[in-house]
């Protein structure tokens, strides 16, 4: 019988944050410019290693939200996105990252955190383009976060997390168009939203639009799962139908 004892590999655990918001009617993600090696000067998602062995993952995500973005967890929607642990993804060693998706409406200009030299809101289209230099495997994580948001807009009330406490149906449509990357016919959209009982409910007030006309305000309703779903257009024919 061998006397060799198994030694567990050294693995570092980190959390990364995909923070999405709507700015200027475009879906944007928070990126930081790394101020330290590795990938110094490149853009990356806000995040970091656990502070100590007793720190829970949600607590680490909440801490990173505060340190890297100046945000409190009660200001936004937060859910676990996925686990990323491909060997070689981080030149510092074997690092496993647990990514979280955070969504909130109209977030303010960011402030760079502890190991970042700058922070900025970037359109998701630009962040996912070949021109953007993202550190580690963060382009993949951003892509997964955007796709999670796109999918959940179909069958859940997640779209209201991009809106303020009260909103117009036109503002809700802006969310669907920005996240899905399509144009939707206002009349069809209004009909579909109103057909889902409990998705949104009247707030009992109005707001004047840019044209000076009053628009009804709504707030999130009690329903979390949408039935029937808000089906996402997937091809040219579907997009034409969405506009018809």
């Amino acid at each position: 019988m061998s006397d060799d004892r198994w030694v567990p590999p050294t693995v570092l655990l980190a959390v990364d944050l995909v923070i999405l918001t709507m700015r200027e009617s475009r879906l944007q993600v928070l990126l930081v410019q790394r101020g330290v090696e590795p990938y110094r000067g490149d853009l990356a998602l806000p995040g970091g290693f656990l502070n100590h062995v007793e720190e829970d993952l949600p607590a680490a995500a909440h801490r990173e939200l505060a340190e890297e973005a100046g945000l409190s967890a009660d200001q936004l929607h937060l859910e676990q996105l996925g686990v990323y642990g491909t060997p070689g993804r981080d030149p510092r060693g074997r690092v496993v990252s647990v990514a979280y998706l955070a969504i909130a409406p109209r977030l303010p200009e960011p402030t760079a955190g502890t190991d970042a030299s700058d922070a900025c809101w970037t359109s998701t289209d630009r962040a996912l383009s070949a021109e953007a230099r993202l550190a580690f495997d963060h382009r993949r994580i951003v892509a997964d976060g955007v796709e999670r948001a796109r999918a959940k807009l179909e069958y859940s009330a997640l779209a209201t997390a991009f809106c303020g406490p009260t909103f117009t149906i036109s503002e809700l449509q802006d969310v669907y168009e920005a996240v899905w990357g399509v144009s939707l016919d206002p009349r069809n959209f209004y009909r579909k939203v109103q057909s889902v009982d409990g998705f949104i409910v009247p707030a009992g007030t109005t707001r004047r639009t840019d044209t000076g006309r009053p628009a009804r305000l709504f707030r999130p309703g009690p329903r979390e799962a949408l039935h029937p779903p808000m089906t996402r257009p997937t091809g040219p024919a579907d997009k034409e139908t969405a506009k018809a």
Side-chain angles (χ1 to χ4, degrees), residues 33-114:
Q33 186 175 47
R34 288 185 57 80
V36 297
E37 295 293 351
Y39 301 106
R40 183 173 184 174
D42 286 355
L43 295 174
L45 292 168
F49 294 109
L50 298 190
N51 257 354
H52 49 79
V53 295
E54 297 297 327
E55 186 175 36
D56 199 7
L57 287 171
H62 294 172
R63 174 178 53 77
E64 289 294 341
L65 277 170
E67 291 179 359
E68 300 280 358
L71 298 173
S72 172
D74 59 11
Q75 293 178 266
L76 41 73
H77 169 91
L78 184 68
E79 65 178 74
Q80 192 176 119
L81 174 62
V83 179
Y84 301 83
T86 303
R89 63 180 296 274
D90 191 318
R92 292 169 293 188
R94 186 66 192 275
V95 178
V96 174
S97 176
V98 180
Y100 284 81
L101 175 64
I103 294 172
R106 297 187 292 275
L107 291 175
E109 290 297 328
T111 302
T114 51

Side-chain angles (χ1 to χ4, degrees), residues 171-182:
E171 290 169 339
L172 186 65
Q173 181 176 332
D174 286 345
V175 172
Y176 276 89
E177 290 184 333
V179 176
W180 282 351
V182 299

Side-chain angles (χ1 to χ4, degrees), residues 49-207:
F49 294 109
L50 298 190
N51 257 354
H52 49 79
V53 295
E54 297 297 327
E55 186 175 36
D56 199 7
L57 287 171
H62 294 172
R63 174 178 53 77
E64 289 294 341
L65 277 170
E67 291 179 359
E68 300 280 358
L71 298 173
S72 172
D74 59 11
Q75 293 178 266
L76 41 73
H77 169 91
L78 184 68
E79 65 178 74
Q80 192 176 119
L81 174 62
V83 179
Y84 301 83
T86 303
R89 63 180 296 274
D90 191 318
R92 292 169 293 188
R94 186 66 192 275
V95 178
V96 174
S97 176
V98 180
Y100 284 81
L101 175 64
I103 294 172
R106 297 187 292 275
L107 291 175
E109 290 297 328
T111 302
T114 51
D115 59 355
S117 59
D118 197 10
C120 62
W121 291 108
T122 304
S123 73
T124 53
D125 287 342
R126 182 177 180 278
L128 294 174
S129 71
E131 296 154 3
R133 292 175 52 189
L134 264 63
F136 309 107
D137 53 358
H138 287 187
R139 180 178 281 105
R140 175 192 171 193
I141 300 176
V142 172
D144 288 350
V146 171
E147 182 53 36
R148 170 74 65 86
R150 286 173 175 166
K152 291 193 73 170
L153 255 59
E154 294 193 61
Y155 62 85
S156 79
L158 182 66
T160 60
F162 286 98
C163 301
T166 60
F167 48 85
T168 66
I169 287 186
S170 177
E171 290 169 339
L172 186 65
Q173 181 176 332
D174 286 345
V175 172
Y176 276 89
E177 290 184 333
V179 176
W180 282 351
V182 299
S183 295
L184 301 171
D185 178 75
R187 292 168 297 179
N188 286 346
F189 183 80
Y190 182 90
R191 184 175 66 252
K192 289 179 180 179
V193 168
Q194 295 287 44
S195 71
V196 183
D197 184 49
F199 179 14
I200 60 174
V201 295
T205 56
T206 61
R207 179 197 304 153

Side-chain angles (χ1 to χ4, degrees), residues 9-20:
T10 300
V11 178
L12 299 174
L13 191 59
V15 295
D16 287 309
L17 303 169
V18 181
I19 306 174
L20 301 178

